[in-house]
Amino acid sequence: MLRIHAYDLDRLVSVASDVPAVAAAPAPSDMSAPITSDLATSGLATPVPAKPPVVWYDLVSPTSEEERAVGECLGITVPTMDEMEDIELSARLYQEDGAEFMTMTVLTRPDAGTPRKVPVTFIVKGQVLVTVRYAEPRPFDAFMARARKPNGTGLHCSYGELIMTGLIEAIIDRMADTLERLGTEIDQISQEVFSTKAAKANAKTRDLQDLIREVGQKGEFITVVRESLVSVSRVVAYYAALDGVDRKLTKELRQRLKLLQRDATSLGDHSAFLSGKINFLLDATLGLINLEQNQIIKIFSVASVVFLPPTLVASIYGMNFANQPELQWTYGYHMAIAMMIVSMALPYLYFKRKGWL
C-alpha cells in the first residue's frame, strides 16, 4: 500500500496514490510559495494555485511495483524486507543516491501482551521523506491524526526531515507510555511477591511459580523495549552527525534531534532500572520458593525425629521372646502406650521451645 502525503498550508493532506501518477511525479525539492501560471501573472486570467508539494511517501507492505515507482520517482533504490532485517550497522545506516537510509527497530502491539519488533526504514531525499514498513505501529497513526489537524496542533510537517523527527518522537512517546505501564505492573508483582498474608505452603508455592512466569514475561518485554530504544538512539545520533558534514541542518531540526537523543537516553536508563528490578524480583521469588520447600522438609524432619522414640519402644515390646518379663504384666500394655506418648511429647516440646516449629 502506498500513501502519499503533501503539505498544504499548515497540515498534511492525503494525495491520490495511483502508481502511474507517482512514477511520473517529479521529486519535490522546493518548499517555496505556490507557483501560479503565466496567464495569472499577466492578470488575464484567474490565478491557478499550484498543487501542494509532496513531502512524504509512506510504503506499507509495498508491492514490487510500488517500490519501483517510488524509486524511479525519487531516483533511489527502496530496500526490500530482507535488506531491512539485516542487523549490520552498515546495512541499516548508510547514504546512497544522494539520500540517507536509516532503519530502526520499532515496537508493535505492546498492549496485546505479545510485543513484536519490526524494522522501519526512513529515507530522506532532499525535502521528501520515504518510510518503508511491513507493519502498522500505532505511533504512525497517532502522528498522522495530529498532523492532519489544522490551526496550531504543534506539529511542523513542512518537509521530510521534520516529519521523520515527528514520527520518531511519537515512537519514543509510545515507548515511554509502555515503560510506565510496565513499571506499574512490576510494582503490583512486587506487592504479590512480598505479601504477608497467610496461605498454605503448596498453594503459596504455586502462586510463586505463576509469578516467576509473569516476571519472566515482563523481563522479555523490557528487553524488546530496550532493543528498540538502542535502535532509535543510533538513528538519531547518525542523523545528528550529518550536521555540517554532508548537509546543513536547520536550527529547529538540530534542537529536536537533541531532545530526541535526551529522551531516548533517559528512557534507556529507566528501562535499565526496571530490568534490574525484574532481576531482583526473580531472585526474591526463587528465594521464597526455596524457603517454602525448606519449611516442608523441616516439618518432615521434625516429624521423623518425634516418631523415632515411640517407634523404638514399640519395636522393643514387639519382640516375642519367651523370657521377656514384661509379657506377663497386667498393665504392661498401658505402660508401653504411656512410654510412647511421653517419648513423642518430649521432643515435640523441646523443638517448640527452641522455635524450630
Side-chain angles (χ1 to χ4, degrees), residues 176-239:
D177 295 338
T178 301
L179 285 176
E180 185 178 359
R181 180 171 56 84
L182 280 174
T184 302
E185 294 175 355
I186 291 173
D187 290 339
Q188 294 175 354
I189 295 176
S190 178
Q191 293 177 0
E192 294 180 17
V193 169
F194 299 106
S195 175
T196 58
K197 61 182 180 180
K200 293 183 179 179
N202 57 350
K204 191 171 184 179
T205 301
R206 286 197 301 269
D207 293 340
L208 292 175
Q209 290 175 348
D210 294 337
L211 285 176
I212 285 181
R213 188 178 297 108
E214 190 172 356
V215 166
Q217 293 174 353
K218 301 304 179 187
E220 182 65 23
F221 202 154
I222 292 177
T223 300
V224 175
V225 175
R226 294 187 68 180
E227 290 181 9
S228 182
L229 284 171
V230 170
S231 177
V232 171
S233 298
R234 283 181 174 179
V235 168
V236 175
Y238 169 80
Y239 202 76

Side-chain angles (χ1 to χ4, degrees), residues 320-347:
N320 297 321
F321 290 111
N323 295 325
Q324 190 171 356
E326 291 85 353
L327 288 177
Q328 305 301 324
W329 288 2
T330 304
Y331 297 101
Y333 172 77
H334 304 85
M335 183 198 69
I337 294 295
M339 290 178 61
M340 286 188 286
I341 293 175
V342 171
S343 63
M344 289 175 57
L346 289 177

Side-chain angles (χ1 to χ4, degrees), residues 123-322:
I123 307 172
V124 178
K125 179 69 177 290
Q127 303 289 340
V128 181
L129 171 69
V130 179
T131 55
V132 186
R133 53 196 176 102
Y134 290 83
E136 298 197 29
R138 283 192 178 182
F140 278 75
D141 296 333
F143 173 80
M144 285 188 285
R146 292 180 58 196
R148 289 173 180 171
K149 294 180 180 179
N151 301 328
T153 58
L155 295 178
H156 302 284
C157 312
S158 55
Y159 53 95
E161 290 175 323
L162 291 180
I163 296 175
M164 181 186 70
T165 55
L167 288 170
I168 295 176
E169 183 179 358
I171 292 172
I172 291 177
D173 290 343
R174 179 66 169 169
M175 285 190 287
D177 295 338
T178 301
L179 285 176
E180 185 178 359
R181 180 171 56 84
L182 280 174
T184 302
E185 294 175 355
I186 291 173
D187 290 339
Q188 294 175 354
I189 295 176
S190 178
Q191 293 177 0
E192 294 180 17
V193 169
F194 299 106
S195 175
T196 58
K197 61 182 180 180
K200 293 183 179 179
N202 57 350
K204 191 171 184 179
T205 301
R206 286 197 301 269
D207 293 340
L208 292 175
Q209 290 175 348
D210 294 337
L211 285 176
I212 285 181
R213 188 178 297 108
E214 190 172 356
V215 166
Q217 293 174 353
K218 301 304 179 187
E220 182 65 23
F221 202 154
I222 292 177
T223 300
V224 175
V225 175
R226 294 187 68 180
E227 290 181 9
S228 182
L229 284 171
V230 170
S231 177
V232 171
S233 298
R234 283 181 174 179
V235 168
V236 175
Y238 169 80
Y239 202 76
L242 297 177
D243 187 20
V245 179
D246 296 311
R247 62 187 308 165
K248 186 66 176 178
L249 303 181
T250 63
K251 182 178 179 180
E252 178 186 6
L253 184 61
R254 193 182 303 113
Q255 185 66 24
R256 294 184 71 176
L257 289 174
K258 288 181 180 179
L259 291 176
L260 291 177
Q261 282 183 305
R262 186 178 62 185
D263 291 344
T265 301
S266 62
L267 288 180
D269 294 340
H270 185 59
S271 65
F273 165 75
L274 292 180
S275 181
K277 194 171 183 179
I278 282 290
N279 291 331
F280 168 73
L281 288 177
L282 183 60
D283 293 339
T285 305
L286 291 175
L288 290 175
I289 290 178
N290 289 332
L291 289 176
E292 293 295 332
Q293 293 175 346
N294 291 337
Q295 182 70 18
I296 295 174
I297 294 174
K298 183 177 71 173
I299 292 174
F300 280 108
S301 300
V302 171
S304 62
V305 173
V306 167
F307 285 101
L308 184 60
T311 303
L312 178 62
V313 174
S315 299
I316 292 174
Y317 289 104
M319 296 184 294
N320 297 321
F321 290 111

Side-chain angles (χ1 to χ4, degrees), residues 42-90:
S42 62
L44 299 178
T46 303
V48 179
K51 293 183 179 179
V54 175
V55 293
W56 181 17
Y57 296 96
D58 188 18
L59 291 167
V60 184
S61 301
T63 62
S64 57
E65 291 79 7
E66 291 172 340
E67 291 179 354
R68 184 170 55 255
V70 174
E72 292 176 355
C73 176
L74 299 177
I76 60 175
T77 302
V78 178
T80 62
M81 181 64 176
D82 294 335
E83 294 173 341
M84 293 170 58
E85 291 180 340
D86 198 340
I87 62 174
E88 293 183 1
L89 189 60
S90 59

